[in-house]
Amino acid sequence: MNDPLKTGGSGLLDELYREIILDHYRRPRNHDPLKTPTCSADGANPLCGDTIHLEVGLDDHTIEDIAFAGAGCSISQASASMMTEYVKGRTVEEARKGAEAFQQMMTTGETQDLEGFDDIDALQGVSKFPARVKCASLAWKTLEQALEGGGVASTEEGETSHD
Amino acid sequence: MTITTPEVDHQPFDIERIRRDFPILKREIGDRQLVYLDNAATSQRPVQVLAEMTRFYRDHNANIHRGVHTLSVEATDLYEEARRKIARFVNARRAEEIIFTRNTTESINLVAHGWGRKFLEAGDEVVISEIEHHSNIVPWQMLRDERGIVLKYIPMQPDGTLDLEAARNIIGPKTKLLAITAMSNALGTIVPLDVLVPMAKEHGAKVLVDGAQSVPHLPVDVQALDVDFLAFSAHKMLGPTGMGALWARYEILDAMNPFMGGGDMILTVTMERSTWADVPAKFEAGTPNVGGAVGFGVAVDYLSALGMDAVRAHEVELTDYALRRLGDVPGVTIFGPPSAEERGGVISFELEGVHPHDVGQVLDTHGVAVRTGHHCAQPVMAALTVPATARASFYLYNTPEEVDRLAVALEEVARFFGGA
């Protein structure tokens, strides 16, 4: 940013809300609860009120099935939908690699050279909006929580809102 | 030694001249001119405040009290002059009744520590309401957990007003303090203090008013209100951040314990013990925000020059227009009292099918700054059964054209996320 007084603008908006993201938001994939989940976890982003409930069906080390439910902004829910599509049918190890790659993308703003990551790469623009990184990351943090045996994932230790 | 009273003669209320005093309003966000509608979070500052704060640091800066050199005497005079200005602004009986703090939150915590811990015992009741900001909930919960006091809430009705009939049953002989906002930051609800304060006084309870939202926007007279404590912040009323005030009756302040210990708040210190300075120094430990106090003083000069009745009238007119204009946007639901007379210039709303954070993000690309989230009022969000809202809040420099910009941008948001 050369001129701090010239930030924002609608070009950035298109970068944040790519069409594929809005598509996942409007038509979330893997949204029906599993009949027999082997593990589950709940994630919350206290600052925004985003929530995600994740159910995983593990067969040995493979994520045979996965489903999410939740409420929140388009970024948080689209990211969850994309995450479930990516990890379904992959091994736990691959899913963890995906989570790492996602975190990397949020930190560096660079797309990840990972097979099957194409849709998820569309979230790359989120890295330019620090306030929204937590929204995008919630699904992956909840997944890690579920794979570690369940419980509650939070993007915050405590509340820091000032209004 | 005086800081110049700002040259504000915008009578009658001249919005174009007022806007010229706030250069930030000309700021562009991307290629759009800023529409600043986040005044309930913090207001902007006029050039008069900025200039006098700069002049203080440039020409008069020194630490205050006990200094014998010229600058220290000047800085002390300016600090105490600011106290007198703020005392006059709320119609305090004497300037010493104003304690400078960092903000409303610190003012309320000062009362919880200095008064609550000294005078409240297990079983005593503190009554607050469901529409309080977290800063007027958490200090009392902490005191409850420490001292075993009982915390009671006056419930909110679906339209965002308080249930006054319920209040009549909740406030009783065990009530020692009614701690209540004068205006909800989340919904704009103006609380009828003229009804609630007598209920508390009837039982001999003290009354603390959270004036963070009301003091910047409504005429305030602590003597007419007949309350005991009033907490407010400079940064929501044209002054600097990091600056707030507590007004309280002198005799109450005199009886209270200090809040923090340190320099400036003592009379004598020996190795064994210390004795406290008089009010207000007793509550102002350490070097205070002298430049901030100067700015605060100029901010109330600015508001006084315009006249708080005129400020209120402008905001009622604008809010009335905004309620109608936003109400016409398809999919918009507005929370809180239906009429502009019952609320401050705060409009909390949701847009069907679009999360408030997405609303706020898209509005930003239109240059429109609103706040989204729970507004530090999670009990209000729970009562409305929403996780969050978007909130537009106005001040004396906002215009109907800016309300139109918000409405048009909201229509764009609905289109952008349409098809959900």
Side-chain angles (χ1 to χ4, degrees), chain A residues 7 17 26 74 129 132 163, chain B residues 30 357-358 361 371 375 416 418:
Chain A
T7 59
Y17 295 114
R26 290 172 189 144
S74 58
F129 296 83
R132 307 303 293 278
D163 46 6
Chain B
H357 272 203
D358 291 320
Q361 194 88 61
R371 189 148 293 255
H375 316 297
F416 190 82

Side-chain angles (χ1 to χ4, degrees), chain A residues 4-10 13-14 16-17 22 25-26 46-50 72-75 129 132 159 161-163, chain B residues 27-30 41 133-134 185 236 353-355 357-358 361-362 365 371 374-376 387-388 391 416-420:
Chain A
L5 295 182
K6 295 276 180 200
T7 59
S10 50
L13 191 65
D14 295 331
L16 177 66
Y17 295 114
L22 293 178
Y25 175 55
R26 290 172 189 144
L47 289 188
C48 318
D50 298 330
C73 68
S74 58
I75 301 296
F129 296 83
R132 307 303 293 278
E159 185 199 347
S161 177
H162 301 282
D163 46 6
Chain B
R27 171 83 206 258
E28 293 195 340
I29 306 296
H133 187 281
H134 294 168
N185 74 303
K236 292 189 203 286
V354 189
H355 191 275
H357 272 203
D358 291 320
Q361 194 88 61
V362 180
T365 63
R371 189 148 293 255
H374 54 57
H375 316 297
C376 285
R391 180 189 72 186
F416 190 82
F417 286 96

Side-chain angles (χ1 to χ4, degrees), chain B residues 139-161:
Chain B
W140 306 115
Q141 289 178 337
M142 291 166 75
L143 194 64
R144 175 197 62 194
D145 295 344
E146 183 188 316
R147 291 293 160 97
I149 62 164
V150 177
L151 191 54
K152 291 191 163 177
Y153 292 80
I154 301 170
M156 183 186 98
Q157 305 184 103
D159 69 351
T161 59

Side-chain angles (χ1 to χ4, degrees), chain A residues 113-153:
Chain A
D113 186 19
L114 211 59
E115 193 226 322
F117 228 59
D118 308 346
D119 281 10
I120 295 171
D121 276 338
L123 285 167
Q124 166 255 341
V126 175
S127 65
K128 295 203 176 98
F129 296 83
R132 307 303 293 278
V133 167
K134 282 174 185 162
C135 308
S137 305
L138 179 62
W140 291 95
K141 288 200 186 308
T142 310
L143 173 70
E144 287 176 315
Q145 188 72 37
L147 295 178
E148 275 162 31
V152 178

Side-chain angles (χ1 to χ4, degrees), chain B residues 38 41 44 71 116 132 148 171 213 223 230 243 253 256 261 270 273 277 290 321 325 343 349 387 391 395 419:
Chain B
D38 194 17
Q44 299 299 344
L71 288 185
E132 300 308 314
I171 299 170
Q213 297 296 333
Q223 296 188 52
L230 176 70
M243 199 62 218
L253 290 169
M256 280 164 63
T270 65
R273 67 183 60 82
V290 185
Y321 177 68
R325 184 74 177 82
R343 58 157 88 214
F349 62 93
R391 180 189 72 186
Y395 210 4

Side-chain angles (χ1 to χ4, degrees), chain B residues 18-287:
Chain B
I18 289 170
R19 286 179 70 84
R20 283 203 287 276
D21 291 335
F22 296 83
I24 201 168
L25 299 177
K26 296 193 190 75
R27 171 83 206 258
E28 293 195 340
I29 306 296
D31 55 358
R32 315 284 182 101
Q33 189 181 350
L34 169 70
V35 175
Y36 187 76
L37 302 179
D38 194 17
N39 294 286
T42 198
S43 73
Q44 299 299 344
R45 297 96 182 88
V47 287
Q48 290 87 345
V49 168
L50 303 176
E52 292 303 327
M53 287 180 72
T54 301
R55 201 160 77 86
F56 167 75
Y57 285 117
R58 197 189 57 199
D59 299 341
H60 305 292
N61 180 60
N63 208 335
I64 57 168
H65 297 149
R66 298 175 317 280
V68 292
H69 63 78
T70 301
L71 288 185
S72 180
V73 171
E74 288 177 1
T76 305
D77 282 353
L78 290 169
Y79 184 69
E80 295 303 330
E81 186 193 349
R83 194 191 307 278
R84 287 191 291 276
K85 287 178 178 183
I86 289 144
R88 274 198 300 276
F89 187 72
V90 300
N91 197 29
R93 287 173 196 83
R94 47 199 288 193
E96 295 86 345
E97 293 184 333
I98 295 293
I99 311 297
F100 283 131
T101 62
R102 282 188 305 140
N103 45 41
T104 303
T105 299
E106 183 174 306
S107 297
I108 295 173
N109 276 276
L110 192 161
V111 176
H113 281 253
W115 182 82
R117 290 170 110 186
K118 181 163 183 184
F119 294 108
L120 295 181
E121 296 166 0
D124 285 346
E125 293 180 1
V126 171
V127 175
I128 63 176
S129 87
E130 202 174 355
I131 64 171
E132 300 308 314
H133 187 281
H134 294 168
S135 62
N136 194 32
I137 300 175
V138 181
W140 306 115
Q141 289 178 337
M142 291 166 75
L143 194 64
R144 175 197 62 194
D145 295 344
E146 183 188 316
R147 291 293 160 97
I149 62 164
V150 177
L151 191 54
K152 291 191 163 177
Y153 292 80
I154 301 170
M156 183 186 98
Q157 305 184 103
D159 69 351
T161 59
L162 292 182
D163 185 338
L164 298 176
E165 278 316 302
R168 216 172 286 283
N169 294 321
I170 291 166
I171 299 170
K174 286 185 176 172
T175 306
K176 291 292 187 288
L177 176 72
L178 170 67
I180 190 106
T181 184
M183 185 197 295
S184 155
N185 74 303
L187 299 170
T189 312
I190 293 176
V191 171
L193 294 175
D194 56 331
V195 179
L196 286 170
V197 173
M199 287 185 201
K201 292 284 159 175
E202 190 184 317
H203 296 288
K206 298 279 186 285
V207 178
L208 176 148
V209 172
D210 171 355
Q213 297 296 333
S214 63
V215 175
H217 301 277
L218 304 173
V220 60
D221 178 336
V222 290
Q223 296 188 52
L225 279 174
D226 192 28
V227 297
D228 302 286
F229 305 98
L230 176 70
F232 51 108
S233 298
H235 72 95
K236 292 189 203 286
M237 49 191 289
L238 313 182
T241 49
M243 199 62 218
L246 171 71
W247 167 84
R249 291 178 192 274
Y250 186 89
E251 58 274 20
I252 297 175
L253 290 169
D254 195 41
M256 280 164 63
N257 282 338
F259 181 29
M260 288 186 277
D264 260 343
M265 54 75 70
I266 48 82
L267 193 60
T268 60
V269 176
T270 65
M271 301 270 274
E272 289 74 34
R273 67 183 60 82
S274 303
T275 57
W276 314 138
D278 287 338
V279 173
K282 179 168 86 172
F283 298 102
E284 295 180 358
T287 297

